[in-house]
Amino acid sequence: MGSDHMSTFAPSGVITLTTDFGHCDPFVGIMKGRILSIFPAAIIVDLTHEIPPFGIAAASFWLARAYAYFPIGTVHIAVVDPGVGTARNILAMEMDSHLFLAPDNGLLTGFPRKEHRVHTIDFDRLRLHGFPPPSATFHGRDIFAPVAGKLAAGVWHAHELGPASPLLPLGARGGSDEGLGIKGEVVVVDHFGNLLTNIERAAIERLRDPRVDIAGHSLRLCRTYGDALPGEVVALVNSFDVLEIAVVQGSAARNLNLGCGTPVQIGAKPAG
Amino acid sequence: MGSDHMSTFAPSGVITLTTDFGHCDPFVGIMKGRILSIFPAAIIVDLTHEIPPFGIAAASFWLARAYAYFPIGTVHIAVVDPGVGTARNILAMEMDSHLFLAPDNGLLTGFPRKEHRVHTIDFDRLRLHGFPPPSATFHGRDIFAPVAGKLAAGVWHAHELGPASPLLPLGARGGSDEGLGIKGEVVVVDHFGNLLTNIERAAIERLRDPRVDIAGHSLRLCRTYGDALPGEVVALVNSFDVLEIAVVQGSAARNLNLGCGTPVQIGAKPAG
Amino acid sequence: MGSDHMSTFAPSGVITLTTDFGHCDPFVGIMKGRILSIFPAAIIVDLTHEIPPFGIAAASFWLARAYAYFPIGTVHIAVVDPGVGTARNILAMEMDSHLFLAPDNGLLTGFPRKEHRVHTIDFDRLRLHGFPPPSATFHGRDIFAPVAGKLAAGVWHAHELGPASPLLPLGARGGSDEGLGIKGEVVVVDHFGNLLTNIERAAIERLRDPRVDIAGHSLRLCRTYGDALPGEVVALVNSFDVLEIAVVQGSAARNLNLGCGTPVQIGAKPAG
């Protein structure tokens, strides 16, 4: 296919994978086999395969916060796809000189509002380029992996995959600002049992002496886990610039018996 | 070692790993270290390390259905090896321009009946080529990894590893055809709780209007998960060409309380 | 930075990762993105990410027993770091022509007593070389990964990272010798439920007809799992040269209901 004069995407050869496939089955390995069959020099990195089954919001949360740590020119595949085999589309989005491939189910809409261009993959066009008809249930193997291989190899360009299309917003995301406080909720529970929320650093920094309220606990913000004693419940702005509730050297999810969807509120006077 | 004029195997540099080692311990990482020490340009892909402990049949099922998605010239290591350290042999099988290394415990016998050549690894010959005596309990590190490295680097060839030997059949495998119906069983439960059976697409396509019977449920075949409503139990021929029973956006294993060994039957009139 | 005339470290391009980050979140993937952004040719191998949260001793145990299986010139990152964001130092240790990066919390002190050189990373120096200020909670991403990338690329050398510093011993480690017996404990439970102890092969080989006592069981040493029947409890010196208690084709941890910290004793007459 030809070149795209508007694109700033120059492939680095790196491909990341984000799925809800888990680690028990060879599904991820098979995707890598397909990629290497098409692009033997691919450098493939697992972002995570333990997105909760069909957890579109969690996949969107992590991909949006992780992609920028990869080299410019990386192709990011995200397959959390309850609609696989139905008429749902697959999108290719270019943003920040990175490329993202994901089902058109809202996964790509949790990203920062940067300039981006989106194309809908035209399955007939793939057929013309020699792709066999995909299975009805494993597009990770049959579409995402080989298309990513072609894009990462620089053989195909995103605008050639199909027509440009708008990215439908997923509705209000992130903590909402009401009066002087901020309301949000827990959106991810990580491996350590830390509760990650959708309240961003920027919103918090507008507040003076903020206090975090969650499930009857009223917490002062601290800077890092080591600022409190083992077993203490702490609130901090974490390394992904969102509010996190943690138990020092313990599990907030288990100790407080809380999970995704738990409401969180920050009350404070506005700063300065 | 010399060249083999009958072989069609030309190494791609790719090595896959299938084990029951899990992800908790550094066993898999250590195997990769050994491979890279011998063949620094190796491209190593994890197929799965969550084969149930000593689950030879599951390893055989997945490897047989996954290998062809990798580049021709790939070396596939499979270590599910309850007999490690005893007198059991290790086999190298060449098939379809791929190479497979596995213990001689039936793991390589669940494959399609294609032309293949098998060699038994001669441990004395390894010693002559400078291998230290293997430990009694970790042949993945001491034999499989370095031998695969030599094969993937093109330094050694399978026929040089030891004498040719027959591959003993594992007995009847796959769903058996009785009268107009097909009997089989669940052989793998995947990460989503889907129940994968040993009934192949080809056998099902001979039937007209097939119905699937499992644990008191009588199911019509559908094409993909999205063809039914969330929570419904469906039967479909999956992307690995075997019959699968699933709960849409749920877990068939949990919802139906079923697992490996559950009998499955398909009843129908023959097609055409 | 300049060269170090005392160093024998010549980078192989390989970097290993040992953490307690688990596989649920993209933390490990993000570290790899950072490494590849700095050193695109890096070969990154996961050693394990399932060290128990804050399990410094387990990380030390595995890294010390695994590193030598990697190519000379490998950089090993170990991030088990309850003190992240506090004033704790990060160390770079050169030993056996390998490099190790870890928090200064004892992780590097479980190693064999070989000649080694240790430097404390000077965070101000990193700043001078263009590193942005690190977050308070994710030094794996902000310090370990990019520093390892620079070292593995051969752009930086360990002695340039900061001042030489002694490695404080962690106190008595390993099984202690009392009279004619050896006392130790279980330090790791592996994926199979095997109980790995801190009693080394060398200590055992000094004994004649050793018997292993653990939780009321008195066991003779055997050579490999296959030397006993399925379900039997066995003691053996494993492939990492430490005493291990196992249940053949079963889980010693579950069957015997034992875990880390369980005392183990070997009684015997001295050999020869």
Side-chain angles (χ1 to χ4, degrees), chain B residues 20 24-25 29 33 84-85 136 141, chain C residues 48 69-70 191-192 223-224 239:
Chain B
D20 59 352
C24 292
D25 312 298
V84 62
R141 177 192 70 193
Chain C
T48 169
Y69 296 104
F70 286 83
H191 171 69
F192 297 92
R223 200 185 60 86
T224 186
S239 58

Side-chain angles (χ1 to χ4, degrees), chain B residues 56-88:
Chain B
I56 296 166
S60 190
F61 177 91
W62 277 130
L63 191 55
R65 280 161 182 83
Y67 81 89
Y69 296 104
F70 285 83
I72 280 177
T74 296
V75 177
H76 305 272
I77 301 177
V79 191
V80 178
D81 195 7
V84 62
T86 65
R88 71 91 183 81

Side-chain angles (χ1 to χ4, degrees), chain A residues 20-27 29-30 32-34 36-37 40 50 53-54 82 84-86 135-138 141, chain B residues 14 23 43 45-48 50 62 66 69-71 188-192 223-226 236 238-240 249-250:
Chain A
D20 59 354
F21 293 172
H23 290 84
C24 291
D25 311 298
F27 304 146
I30 288 169
K32 294 177 182 173
R34 285 284 279 152
L36 292 170
S37 296
E50 296 288 350
F54 321 120
V84 62
T86 67
S135 68
T137 54
F138 193 3
R141 177 192 71 191
Chain B
V14 179
H23 290 85
I43 299 163
V45 179
D46 301 301
L47 204 43
T48 170
E50 295 290 348
W62 277 130
Y69 296 104
F70 285 83
V188 164
V189 177
D190 80 8
H191 171 69
F192 297 92
R223 200 185 59 86
T224 186
Y225 312 119
L236 49 80
N238 74 7
S239 59
F240 294 95
Q249 294 187 31

Side-chain angles (χ1 to χ4, degrees), chain A residues 68-136:
Chain A
Y69 295 105
F70 286 83
I72 279 177
T74 295
V75 177
H76 305 271
I77 300 178
V79 191
V80 178
D81 194 6
V84 62
T86 67
R88 71 92 182 80
N89 286 318
I90 296 177
L91 303 178
M93 177 171 83
E94 185 180 328
M95 189 182 73
D96 251 4
S97 304
H98 291 249
L99 263 184
F100 302 84
L101 294 177
D104 185 12
N105 59 16
L107 205 159
L108 293 180
T109 60
F111 280 61
R113 305 288 78 205
K114 296 193 177 174
E115 197 182 337
H116 59 269
R117 293 187 309 145
V118 180
H119 291 267
T120 298
I121 294 181
D122 179 343
F123 299 141
D124 292 332
R125 230 180 267 191
L126 298 182
R127 203 80 63 91
L128 285 176
H129 282 89
F131 275 46
S135 68

Side-chain angles (χ1 to χ4, degrees), chain B residues 125-213:
Chain B
R125 231 180 265 192
L126 299 182
R127 203 80 63 90
L128 285 176
H129 282 89
F131 276 45
S135 69
T137 54
F138 193 3
H139 287 186
R141 177 192 70 193
D142 299 334
I143 299 177
F144 288 94
V147 168
K150 296 281 193 188
L151 293 167
V155 176
W156 289 0
H157 302 90
H159 75 279
E160 299 166 311
L161 294 172
S165 68
L167 194 63
L168 298 179
L170 193 63
R173 277 181 319 282
S176 64
D177 228 309
E178 304 188 1
L180 293 177
I182 306 168
K183 285 184 173 170
E185 63 178 42
V186 174
V187 289
V188 164
V189 177
D190 80 8
H191 171 69
F192 297 92
N194 300 323
L195 308 171
L196 281 62
T197 76
N198 57 350
I199 299 178
E200 306 270 352
R201 175 192 294 276
I204 297 170
E205 285 181 345
R206 286 199 298 271
L207 304 174
R208 192 168 58 195
D209 189 24
R211 292 199 70 82
V212 176
D213 290 297

